[in-house]
Amino acid sequence: MAPNEANRRRVTILGSTGSIGTNTLDVIEQLGGRDAFEVVAVTGSANIELLARQAKAVGAGLAVTADERRYDELKSALSGTGIAVGAGRSALLEAATAPSDWVMAAIVGTAGLAPTLAAAERGADIALANKECLVTAGNLFVEAVAAGGGRLIPVDSEHSAVFQTLEADQRHAVERIVLTASGGPFRTWSREQMAGVTAAAAGAHPNWSMGLKISIGSASMFNKALEMIEAKHLFDVRPDQIEVVVHPQSVIHSMVGYSDGSVLAQLGCPDMRTAIGYALSYPRRPALNVERLDFAKLSRLDFEAPDEERFPALRLARTALKRGGLQGAVMNAAEEVAFQAFVGARIGFLQMADVAEVVMDAMVDWGAASSMADVFAVDEEARRRADEVIAKIEMAA
């Protein structure tokens, strides 16, 4: 028997080849690697070489690619290792339902919804890095976690900060949750300047190292918009208690304001491994090799109100929160389609919000979801309508 084998924590990483996934594996290695953790499954999509390398490095029991066409490639890369191989949606669900104690939910977009929900239903602790689970199916997902008996621990730096500063016995005294935003690369740009930016420019975040989808979401503030909706479900607060403040240094990751005027904030250098390590070791804090804040070198911390004229995604989030129902799912689906159109140079940077708003207004009468089938139905319809809006924009260009 390997050292500590009986006491190893069993973990699954959904989305191991992305930024969150690779940082998760780094944290696992820092905290003891194979001696402390049994990696039950890892999943990825197109980067088969990295997925195979990860699976071999951690001795994963199962490796899955979401792309069914890449099955033979992954199987060949892992030949002779004894690691089981899968591909496609059913294999992702197999990875999610494999017996592990803790699941990193880091598959980007609605593709991560079904496997993350399956993991929650079986009672695993969910380290949530997938915003869409709560944005599209908030009540259903929270109920599934509660019914399964696992814990929901946020991994986004902002929600992790709130989670860490939200005192359990002071929930009655919470006045507001303040989510910080870096402002992205276009914080000081005019709408005229932003109208012509490319996907490459929008994907260059000034503080964080993230994938293209998240980086462009930060530049447009759609990420922050989704985080507003996510915060409502995570922390059971009213929409009017959720605030956003632009903080370009990204040192304060978010704050909680209380009824006595106190504001508790979580600070740290911009490094996702801090939030990941906290989620992996909760309720204990681990020892991590990350940069420490040097307060003597912090010359200033700036704050400013977000400009919802230049960054309308925040206004759309408030609209979705006010309307309720499935508006979050509509906004998310339309934004995902608009994002792909922007990356493909079919529409401009500012037109992503235009697409989302048109679709949201057209689907305002869709009520609350009673099942996941409702969520998937509205997601499909919103995507179809977003495609139509984008086609009209292209024709008018």
Side-chain angles (χ1 to χ4, degrees):
M1 180 178 289
N4 302 317
E5 183 172 328
N7 298 319
R8 290 190 302 168
R9 192 172 193 196
R10 298 173 302 170
V11 303
T12 292
I13 306 171
L14 302 176
S16 65
T17 57
S19 174
I20 297 293
T22 53
N23 276 307
T24 300
L25 289 171
D26 180 84
V27 169
I28 286 173
E29 183 61 28
Q30 284 195 44
L31 299 183
R34 293 199 196 191
D35 285 345
F37 300 94
E38 175 190 349
V39 178
V40 173
V42 292
T43 81
S45 184
N47 196 337
I48 301 300
E49 180 183 354
L50 176 58
L51 179 60
R53 190 164 66 246
Q54 290 175 335
K56 287 186 282 190
V58 298
L62 171 66
V64 171
T65 170
D67 189 344
E68 291 182 340
R69 300 167 298 179
R70 312 294 291 274
Y71 173 79
D72 289 338
E73 185 180 350
L74 181 60
K75 187 173 180 62
S76 175
L78 292 174
S79 177
T81 63
I83 298 172
V85 173
R89 292 184 178 182
S90 61
L92 284 177
L93 289 175
E94 180 184 355
T97 54
S100 61
D101 312 308
W102 183 91
V103 174
M104 169 55 75
I107 298 175
V108 175
T110 52
L113 182 54
T116 306
L117 183 66
E121 289 174 337
R122 68 171 175 82
D125 285 346
I126 305 297
L128 189 66
N130 174 291
K131 296 178 177 62
E132 291 76 15
C133 287
L134 292 176
V135 171
T136 66
N139 292 337
L140 294 175
F141 187 78
V142 170
E143 290 168 4
V145 172
R151 298 178 295 189
L152 183 59
I153 309 170
V155 171
D156 276 342
S157 62
E158 296 83 359
H159 296 116
S160 176
V162 173
F163 187 76
Q164 294 179 54
T165 54
L166 192 58
E167 298 177 311
D169 58 350
Q170 299 295 331
R171 294 298 296 264
H172 66 282
V174 173
E175 279 191 343
R176 56 182 175 149
I177 286 175
V178 184
L179 303 175
T180 58
S182 71
F186 310 134
R187 179 175 62 88
T188 61
W189 288 33
S190 68
R191 282 182 60 85
E192 290 72 23
Q193 288 175 303
M194 287 190 284
V197 302
T198 64
H205 194 279
N207 298 331
W208 299 91
S209 176
M210 306 176 291
L212 187 65
K213 176 69 169 68
I214 299 175
S215 295
I216 291 178
S218 174
S220 65
M221 286 209 181
F222 259 107
N223 257 13
K224 202 58 51 180
L226 297 180
E227 286 171 9
M228 292 167 66
I229 300 173
E230 191 179 5
K232 177 188 180 298
H233 296 290
L234 272 173
F235 307 117
D236 191 24
V237 293
R238 301 187 311 273
D240 61 281
Q241 291 178 287
I242 302 168
E243 300 178 15
V244 173
V245 64
V246 175
H247 169 49
Q249 290 87 3
S250 296
V251 170
I252 295 178
H253 298 143
S254 278
M255 298 169 273
V256 177
Y258 290 93
S259 57
D260 63 353
S262 298
V263 177
L264 301 187
Q266 188 264 339
L267 289 72
C269 294
D271 192 325
M272 283 307 305
R273 292 175 297 177
T274 299
I276 293 167
Y278 185 77
L280 183 59
S281 302
Y282 180 80
R284 299 184 61 192
R285 289 187 182 274
L288 292 177
N289 181 25
V290 297
E291 184 182 357
R292 268 52 175 175
L293 278 180
D294 185 339
F295 286 95
K297 292 182 180 179
L298 285 178
S299 59
R300 58 189 292 171
L301 296 177
D302 296 312
F303 304 93
E304 58 192 57
D307 184 345
E308 295 186 5
E309 184 74 22
R310 291 184 298 126
F311 298 100
L314 301 178
R315 173 176 54 80
L316 296 182
R318 296 198 184 283
T319 298
L321 286 166
K322 181 179 180 180
R323 289 174 177 173
L326 281 159
Q327 277 281 290
V330 173
M331 186 181 85
N332 176 77
E335 186 275 333
E336 285 192 6
V337 174
F339 161 78
Q340 292 294 344
F342 169 60
V343 171
R346 297 174 60 199
I347 63 174
F349 179 75
L350 295 175
Q351 290 173 313
M352 290 189 290
D354 295 338
V355 171
E357 184 164 21
V358 170
V359 177
M360 288 172 66
D361 288 345
M363 298 181 67
V364 70
D365 293 330
W366 286 61
S370 59
S371 68
M372 290 306 300
D374 294 336
V375 175
F376 290 124
V378 77
D379 179 84
E380 182 179 354
E381 177 65 11
R383 290 173 188 274
R384 184 188 69 78
R385 292 182 184 238
D387 280 329
E388 292 180 350
V389 175
I390 290 165
K392 289 180 181 178
I393 291 174
E394 289 182 297
M395 289 179 62

Coordinates of all heavy atoms in Angstrom, one line a residue, residues 2 43 113 193-194 208 225 249 297 333 345 349-350 357:
A2 N 0.5 2.2 -0.9 CA 1.3 3.4 -1.0 C 1.1 4.2 0.3 O 0.2 4.1 1.0 CB 0.8 4.3 -2.2
T43 N -10.8 15.5 -17.2 CA -11.4 15.7 -18.5 C -10.9 16.9 -19.2 O -10.5 17.9 -18.6 CB -13.0 15.8 -18.4 OG1 -13.3 17.1 -18.0 CG2 -13.5 14.8 -17.3
L113 N -22.7 22.1 -17.4 CA -23.8 22.0 -16.5 C -24.2 20.6 -16.1 O -24.4 20.3 -15.0 CB -25.0 22.7 -17.2 CG -26.3 22.8 -16.4 CD1 -26.1 23.4 -15.0 CD2 -27.3 23.7 -17.2
Q193 N -13.5 53.7 -29.2 CA -12.3 53.0 -29.2 C -12.6 51.5 -29.1 O -11.9 50.7 -29.8 CB -11.4 53.4 -28.1 CG -10.7 54.8 -28.2 CD -10.0 55.1 -27.0 OE1 -10.5 55.2 -25.9 NE2 -8.7 55.4 -27.2
M194 N -13.5 51.1 -28.3 CA -13.8 49.7 -28.1 C -14.5 49.0 -29.3 O -14.4 47.8 -29.5 CB -14.7 49.4 -26.9 CG -13.9 49.6 -25.6 SD -14.9 49.1 -24.1 CE -16.0 50.5 -23.9
W208 N -4.8 38.9 -14.6 CA -5.0 37.5 -14.5 C -4.6 36.7 -15.7 O -4.7 37.2 -16.8 CB -6.4 37.2 -14.2 CG -6.9 37.8 -12.9 CD1 -7.5 39.0 -12.8 CD2 -6.9 37.3 -11.6 NE1 -7.9 39.3 -11.5 CE2 -7.5 38.2 -10.7 CE3 -6.4 36.1 -11.0 CZ2 -7.6 38.0 -9.3 CZ3 -6.5 35.8 -9.7 CH2 -7.1 36.8 -8.9
A225 N -21.0 40.4 -15.0 CA -22.4 40.3 -15.0 C -22.9 38.9 -14.6 O -23.9 38.8 -13.8 CB -22.9 40.6 -16.5
Q249 N -6.2 47.3 -9.5 CA -5.1 46.5 -9.0 C -5.4 45.0 -8.7 O -4.5 44.2 -8.5 CB -4.5 47.2 -7.7 CG -3.8 48.5 -8.0 CD -4.8 49.7 -7.9 OE1 -6.0 49.5 -7.7 NE2 -4.3 50.9 -8.2
K297 N 5.0 48.0 -0.5 CA 5.1 48.3 -2.0 C 3.8 48.7 -2.6 O 3.8 49.0 -3.8 CB 5.8 47.1 -2.7 CG 7.2 46.9 -2.3 CD 7.9 45.8 -3.0 CE 9.3 45.5 -2.6 NZ 9.9 44.4 -3.3
A333 N -26.8 32.2 -22.7 CA -26.8 31.5 -24.0 C -26.5 32.5 -25.1 O -25.7 32.2 -26.0 CB -28.1 30.8 -24.2
A345 N -14.9 37.1 -35.9 CA -14.9 38.4 -36.6 C -16.2 38.7 -37.4 O -16.3 39.4 -38.4 CB -13.7 38.5 -37.5
F349 N -17.0 44.0 -31.0 CA -16.9 43.8 -29.5 C -18.2 44.3 -28.8 O -18.7 43.6 -27.9 CB -15.7 44.5 -29.0 CG -15.4 44.4 -27.5 CD1 -15.0 43.3 -27.0 CD2 -15.7 45.5 -26.7 CE1 -14.7 43.2 -25.6 CE2 -15.5 45.5 -25.3 CZ -15.0 44.3 -24.8
L350 N -18.6 45.5 -29.1 CA -19.8 46.1 -28.4 C -21.1 45.4 -28.8 O -22.1 45.5 -28.1 CB -19.9 47.6 -28.7 CG -18.7 48.4 -28.2 CD1 -18.9 49.9 -28.7 CD2 -18.7 48.4 -26.7
E357 N -29.0 41.6 -25.4 CA -30.2 42.4 -25.0 C -31.4 42.1 -25.9 O -32.5 42.0 -25.4 CB -29.9 43.9 -25.0 CG -31.0 44.8 -24.5 CD -30.5 46.2 -24.2 OE1 -29.5 46.6 -24.7 OE2 -31.2 46.9 -23.4

